[in-house]
Amino acid sequence: MGDFDRYARLTARLDAPYAVIDLAAFRRNADDLVRRSASTPIRIASKSVRCRPLIAAALDRPGFRGVMSYALPEALWLARNGVDDILLGYPTTHRTAIRELSEDPETASRITLMIDSPEHLGFLRATATGTARIQVCLDVDASLRIFGQHLGVRRSPLRTPSEVATLARTVAADDRFELTGVMFYEAQIAGLPDTSPAVRWVKRRSAAELADRRGAVVDAVKQVAPLRIVNSGGTGSLEISSADPVVTEVTAGSGLYGPTLFDKYDVFQPEHAMAYALDVVRRPAPRIATLFGGGYVASGPAKKSRLPSPARPEGLKLLGTEGAGEVQTPVQGAEADRLRIGDRVWMRYAKAGEMLERFDVLHAIDGEDVRELTTYRGEGKNFG
């Protein structure tokens, strides 16, 4: 657990809601990610961090190299602020940003776009107004298909070596583009806590299937063009991805913060490096205290696992009938009877960087020192 007593003492002067990052825990989490990746370079998933000072702090540590951004305007902004190796994790149709990229050769040399179809390539070609050569990476479906089921996220239509090689030849034949890599994101491994024997079986089966297919895809694409990037994995699957010799880099971000979605993994458990504080503003009934704000619900399927969790005082939980609200968040438990108006309750977020869309600054705690780190939002940036 986080050192909430120290956080509360050092931030007592602040008005809630506010968020803190424990820099010592952040650094230990970074070191653990490097350990788990077994010398395979880690690309930082910016959507899971959303704070330029913390992205820079991770990049300064041995074992980290490059950023995976989530939007092209964000990638342009990062490149123009010193990040020199950016892989866009998702296809883009942002016309203004595509034009800017195509008209700026230096920036274009730092950014690789993601595509998974000839249509993407055609859109980029039709939209670009400049002459800069655009680097592209092919997103390959890494889901598990078994017993007629699709287990994993719905991303790319590319799956087989022949399908990927066909698109690779289309890219290679167009002088406007340079094929630099392929990516595989196995969400059904990286994003699933180890909550049952069935989940563990799916992960093992998926890892074995993907290892075989990923190698075949990479071999097929290398017959078309050399590859600088073979990207795979996420915080939840670093060991599996980095064990494959064809993988040149893995991606992680959430593991730096240690959100609640990583509380039930068998092979690792990051420290709880980030939390936010809310004030008690009502005492509506015995065993219930109501907090101001705090309804920061994570993306994904709308269920309990996406809700924030009361962390301190221990023993509190959300009300099933209300959950976490935009303006008020009731919590219940025996400890609620000891809370008074103005007392502080600490919460943990379900995912990672999304929470920072609600905060202009993170209060960074380093030992007994506290300083402010500006988030994307605090810099006036919102990329969707």
Side-chain angles (χ1 to χ4, degrees):
M1 292 291 291
D3 189 354
F4 294 106
D5 291 339
R6 178 165 58 97
Y7 305 162
R9 173 172 55 82
L10 293 173
T11 62
R13 63 179 177 80
L14 299 176
D15 288 317
Y18 61 87
V20 302
I21 179 77
D22 185 328
L23 291 181
F26 176 90
R27 290 189 287 263
R28 288 191 293 268
N29 284 340
D31 291 343
D32 194 52
L33 292 173
V34 172
R35 175 193 64 79
R36 293 175 55 217
S37 71
S39 80
T40 302
I42 300 172
R43 188 177 290 274
I44 298 169
S46 64
K47 77 179 182 66
S48 299
V49 182
R50 301 193 205 206
C51 176
R52 279 203 303 130
L54 290 177
I55 291 172
L59 287 175
D60 283 343
R61 302 185 71 79
F64 290 86
R65 185 183 70 195
V67 168
M68 177 179 284
S69 69
Y70 61 97
L72 184 52
E74 177 209 17
L76 292 169
W77 177 61
L78 291 174
R80 290 163 180 166
N81 282 278
V83 181
D84 60 9
D85 180 3
I86 303 169
L87 174 63
L88 192 61
Y90 308 86
T92 183
T93 57
H94 198 291
R95 294 164 177 82
T96 301
I98 293 170
R99 289 192 289 268
E100 287 184 22
L101 182 75
S102 72
E103 294 170 1
D104 186 344
E106 181 179 353
T107 301
S109 71
R110 299 182 177 191
I111 297 173
T112 298
L113 302 189
M114 192 67 63
I115 68 169
D116 62 32
S117 68
E119 289 81 4
H120 284 150
L121 203 65
F123 187 93
L124 295 173
R125 187 187 305 110
T127 305
T129 52
T131 59
R133 200 173 191 204
I134 296 174
Q135 301 179 98
V136 297
C137 179
L138 308 183
D139 190 355
V140 182
D141 176 36
S143 65
L144 175 65
R145 297 181 184 178
I146 189 169
F147 306 135
Q149 300 295 311
H150 177 105
L151 302 179
V153 293
R154 295 287 183 176
R155 291 176 68 105
S156 172
L158 299 175
R159 186 170 179 86
T160 67
S162 62
E163 291 170 342
V164 184
T166 296
L167 182 54
R169 284 190 288 271
T170 302
V171 174
D174 193 324
D175 289 340
R176 294 290 305 277
F177 301 98
E178 178 184 359
L179 179 62
T180 62
V182 290
M183 184 184 79
F184 306 78
Y185 176 53
E186 59 273 24
Q188 71 282 2
I189 303 175
L192 284 180
D194 297 302
T195 53
S196 71
V199 168
R200 296 181 181 94
W201 181 87
V202 165
K203 288 187 172 186
R204 290 193 301 271
R205 181 67 177 267
S206 183
E209 186 277 334
L210 181 58
D212 289 341
R213 184 161 53 85
R214 183 166 47 207
V217 167
V218 170
D219 286 344
V221 176
K222 283 184 175 179
Q223 301 304 310
V224 179
L227 293 176
R228 177 173 62 89
I229 295 170
V230 179
N231 179 283
S232 194
T235 290
S237 61
L238 289 187
E239 294 89 350
I240 293 170
S241 297
S242 61
D244 189 336
V246 306
V247 172
T248 66
E249 61 178 44
V250 290
T251 300
S254 298
L256 294 167
Y257 290 169
T260 64
L261 283 178
F262 290 127
D263 285 352
K264 295 182 179 179
Y265 280 70
D266 288 341
V267 297
F268 77 103
Q269 187 170 340
E271 294 189 40
H272 309 159
M274 189 165 71
Y276 61 96
L278 304 176
D279 278 350
V280 175
V281 292
R282 299 180 194 261
R283 291 296 314 281
R287 297 174 62 88
I288 294 178
T290 302
L291 317 176
F292 178 76
Y296 316 140
V297 179
S299 63
K303 55 184 181 181
K304 185 178 179 180
S305 65
R306 262 49 187 183
L307 296 176
S309 299
R312 181 66 61 90
E314 295 180 11
L316 297 174
K317 62 180 181 179
L318 301 178
L319 273 66
T321 54
E322 290 195 49
E326 180 182 17
V327 179
Q328 71 167 37
T329 295
V331 292
Q332 63 181 341
E335 191 64 29
D337 282 336
R338 287 184 278 275
L339 293 172
R340 296 293 178 262
I341 301 299
D343 283 352
R344 200 144 283 176
V345 173
W346 291 90
M347 307 284 290
R348 292 179 59 219
Y349 190 58
K351 292 182 77 173
E354 291 175 358
M355 186 188 97
L356 298 188
E357 296 296 333
R358 303 301 295 262
F359 297 99
D360 290 341
V361 298
L362 269 171
H363 297 276
I365 297 174
D366 200 0
E368 292 294 301
D369 296 326
V370 183
R371 66 180 187 271
E372 291 186 356
L373 301 180
T374 308
T375 65
Y376 276 20
R377 168 178 158 149
E379 294 197 69
K381 300 297 181 182
N382 182 332
F383 300 107

